[in-house]
Amino acid sequence: MSFNFDGHAINILGSTNGSFIANIDGKDYPGSGTQTSQPIQASLFGVNTLDQFKLHTITITNLDENAILYIDAINWPAVQADKNGTLSRVTEDDVEPAFHFQGVWSTSSADSQNFFKGTGHTTTTKEASFDLTFTSCSEYIETVDAISLFGSTGPDHGPYSVQLDDQPSQIFQAKQITPAVQVMIYYISHLEPGPHTLHVVNQDDAVFAVDFVTFATIVNVTTS
């Protein structure tokens, strides 16, 4: 499993009855566990001495052929602006003009009342999609420019793909044992200044829902 993130720390929750290697930016961190019963949400691995303003890549590798490595959640702190910067966060709901839906979508579902501002777009149609268009700020020297996309997960959900601009598509899974809303379903940071399009596609005849998006930008303000 590989995951990109920014910030000075990360914590992996899950369980294992074997050993594993966590590699961050080329540096190995060995780990192990003894969990043999039902997986629990325990801390498998954590580090808090990373460069706050760098994009990091962590790869978790199971080293034991007969062991189970269970990853439950990944936590990392939000990047904070330093004394020379300003942190800006903007949230846009799924009914805003930035969202462009194609195919069959519904704005009425059992989860609607629990969505952000009581609105959400849900589909059960394979290849139903939407584009999210936005522009990264280019008026200042940027440190971090990130987006977080939120939706729902549950046992009746399925796989979906996300493509940023002309980059390769990535496949994600929204199927989870326990239903949940306002869940982060996609995150990317260190975007280049300028216009961007996020293309999201439902990959099966299963439930897929999008709720809202949050934009976060840190700009370094210089004075003469």
Side-chain angles (χ1 to χ4, degrees):
M1 181 207 77
S2 293
F3 179 75
N4 296 327
F5 67 100
D6 48 34
H8 74 284
I10 189 170
N11 188 30
I12 308 293
L13 303 179
S15 66
T16 183
N17 58 348
S19 58
F20 63 90
I21 287 287
N23 181 284
I24 300 180
D25 303 332
K27 182 178 180 180
D28 287 337
Y29 299 85
S32 62
T34 58
Q35 181 68 26
T36 57
S37 59
Q38 184 71 21
I40 59 174
Q41 193 180 65
S43 179
L44 277 177
F45 168 78
V47 64
N48 61 3
T49 57
L50 304 173
D51 186 341
Q52 176 176 340
F53 298 108
K54 179 182 177 181
L55 181 65
H56 305 286
T57 299
I58 182 170
T59 301
I60 305 291
T61 304
N62 189 11
L63 297 181
D64 292 343
E65 184 176 306
N66 298 318
I68 297 175
L69 176 61
Y70 174 82
I71 303 298
D72 185 39
I74 302 174
N75 296 328
W76 74 101
V79 175
Q80 302 294 322
D82 61 20
K83 64 180 180 180
N84 297 317
T86 301
L87 176 62
S88 172
R89 294 187 186 277
V90 177
T91 297
E92 292 199 15
D93 202 8
D94 60 294
V95 297
E96 299 292 336
F99 288 87
H100 309 275
F101 292 89
Q102 300 91 37
V104 180
W105 293 83
S106 172
T107 55
S108 299
S109 73
D111 291 327
S112 293
Q113 63 180 353
N114 297 316
F115 284 142
F116 178 70
K117 292 186 176 180
T119 67
H121 275 72
T122 303
T123 185
T124 56
T125 303
K126 185 177 181 179
E127 297 186 355
S129 65
F130 71 87
D131 291 333
L132 174 65
T133 57
F134 60 97
T135 300
S136 299
C137 174
S138 58
E139 298 179 1
Y140 306 97
I141 301 173
E142 296 185 335
T143 303
V144 176
D145 198 349
I147 63 170
S148 302
L149 186 66
F150 292 81
S152 66
T153 57
D156 55 353
H157 290 51
Y160 59 97
S161 64
V162 181
Q163 181 182 24
L164 177 66
D165 301 329
D166 58 354
Q167 298 180 15
S169 295
Q170 296 176 280
I171 300 294
F172 300 92
Q173 180 59 256
K175 185 175 183 178
Q176 300 293 333
I177 297 175
T178 304
V181 296
Q182 298 194 28
V183 177
M184 185 188 296
I185 58 175
Y186 180 75
Y187 172 85
I188 190 170
S189 63
H190 292 260
L191 297 168
E192 293 293 332
H196 297 283
T197 298
L198 200 67
H199 183 60
V200 182
V201 182
N202 190 23
Q203 292 294 323
D204 204 349
D205 293 321
V207 174
F208 176 74
V210 60
D211 191 2
F212 64 95
V213 64
T214 297
F215 302 95
T217 301
I218 294 179
V219 296
N220 291 329
V221 181
T222 59
T223 59
S224 57

